[in-house]
Amino acid sequence: MSPGQMRASRNVDERSDEWAFGIVRYELLTGRRPFVGESSLAIAMLVATQSVPPMECWVKKRLQSVVLKRLE
């Protein structure tokens, strides 16, 4: 669930889909999830309170900026 959707589910729009697509791209490019927790609630708390961790250095800066832009 995107941070915006957690804050105000009544105001959800296409930005939530963009965020989800950014998460998928992040996972495809790095081979890991940006947020890992022991439960769904723990992951939701990380999404709501933490920034997305930096991608590995092998991902080109330009591509990295495209993916991370979707995760703001």
Side-chain angles (χ1 to χ4, degrees), residues 25-34 52-65 67-68:
R25 284 185 269 184
Y26 185 102
E27 290 182 34
L28 287 171
L29 292 169
T30 65
R32 62 185 174 91
R33 295 178 179 175
V52 176
M55 298 173 90
E56 308 299 330
C57 62
W58 58 267
V59 177
K60 296 205 183 277
K61 293 290 183 188
R62 174 110 166 94
L63 183 56
Q64 196 176 125
S65 68
V67 172
L68 294 178

Side-chain angles (χ1 to χ4, degrees), residues 1-9 12 16 19 43-49:
M1 183 182 299
S2 70
Q5 190 173 1
M6 282 189 258
R7 284 191 286 278
S9 61
V12 173
S16 187
W19 188 88
I43 294 169
M45 291 298 296
L46 290 172
V47 169
T49 61

